[in-house]
Amino acid sequence: MTPPPAVPGEDADDMQALRRGDDSALDRLMARWQTPLRAFLYRHTQNEFDSLDLAQETFVRVYRHRDRFRPEAARFSTWLFSIALNLARDRARSLGRRPTTALENAPEQIDPVAHPRAQTESNERAGAVRAAIAELPDDLRAAVILFEYEAKSHAEIAAIVKATPKAVETRLYRARQLLRKNLARWL
């Protein structure tokens, strides 16, 4: 999912307004970022309820720590996704296991004019991709989701996962190698 269209500086302006006490600025940020954030969290946690809960907690943290945001240091989206990723990792650690809800349950977009057989194959292929991504180690999965689904650059991903852009590049390479191996049947 691509980020919502935004006017340059709009997020930073809303964060500045939030710092000044304009709580409606949080509403504007949530309206712009809730859908991409929930999509990211769903792909990462593989659980709809966890993604909803973590998205809410992310915005609570944005509000609580509004004075910590530095627009000169990072874009709002980078800061937001960093908070969300840390919360998702904390949740997984506290559970002591990986999420159990499979990505196969993720809703698919259905093409009403597609032939049923083609639609079935497409759904199976998409399910296989989701399952293969779910099997990746956390650091590789986060990099793939942020790059492929959230359209983040290597530099943005590096800021979110607290790594270097070269490390992100390496993680993406390793993830693609594993995905290629696990999805050989579909290639």
Side-chain angles (χ1 to χ4, degrees):
M1 166 170 276
T2 59
V7 176
E10 191 173 23
D11 294 327
D13 291 345
D14 282 337
M15 284 301 296
Q16 189 69 5
L18 190 60
R19 277 195 204 127
R20 289 191 308 264
D22 178 6
D23 289 347
S24 66
L26 183 62
D27 294 336
R28 291 188 298 273
L29 289 166
M30 288 177 68
R32 258 192 315 278
W33 288 101
Q34 186 169 359
T35 300
L37 182 65
R38 283 182 49 203
F40 166 73
L41 287 166
Y42 180 80
R43 288 182 184 107
H44 193 77
T45 64
Q46 306 166 34
N47 183 297
E48 184 176 354
F49 298 109
D50 284 347
S51 68
L52 290 170
D53 189 40
L54 288 169
Q56 287 179 345
E57 181 59 27
T58 300
F59 284 113
V60 167
R61 296 274 174 103
V62 165
Y63 183 78
R64 280 188 194 152
H65 303 294
R66 60 192 175 272
D67 293 328
R68 293 183 186 174
F69 175 68
R70 301 285 176 253
E72 66 279 357
R75 291 173 36 184
F76 175 77
S77 62
T78 301
W79 189 62
L80 179 73
F81 280 88
S82 293
I83 293 168
L85 182 60
N86 287 334
L87 287 170
R89 286 178 173 166
D90 289 347
R91 168 83 45 100
R93 270 193 297 273
S94 73
L95 294 174
R97 58 178 168 72
R98 290 187 61 158
T100 58
T101 303
L103 281 173
E104 295 91 51
N105 297 332
E108 287 299 317
Q109 287 186 340
I110 297 175
D111 182 358
V113 296
H115 188 276
R117 183 179 196 177
Q119 188 65 45
T120 299
E121 287 178 12
S122 176
N123 288 345
E124 286 177 6
R125 189 173 27 257
V129 169
R130 284 192 301 274
I133 291 172
E135 292 299 317
L136 291 173
D138 182 61
D139 60 334
L140 303 183
R141 185 177 56 226
V144 167
I145 291 170
L146 288 166
F147 185 76
E148 295 295 337
Y149 293 99
E150 302 302 326
K152 299 289 183 194
S153 70
H154 289 189
E156 289 174 307
I157 296 168
I160 291 168
V161 301
K162 298 181 181 26
T164 65
K166 187 65 176 168
V168 169
E169 186 178 327
T170 301
R171 289 175 188 181
L172 288 169
Y173 174 80
R174 287 179 37 215
R176 287 183 184 123
Q177 294 297 100
L178 288 171
L179 290 172
R180 203 172 277 122
K181 177 183 167 192
N182 293 336
L183 295 169
R185 170 183 168 213
W186 297 100
L187 298 177

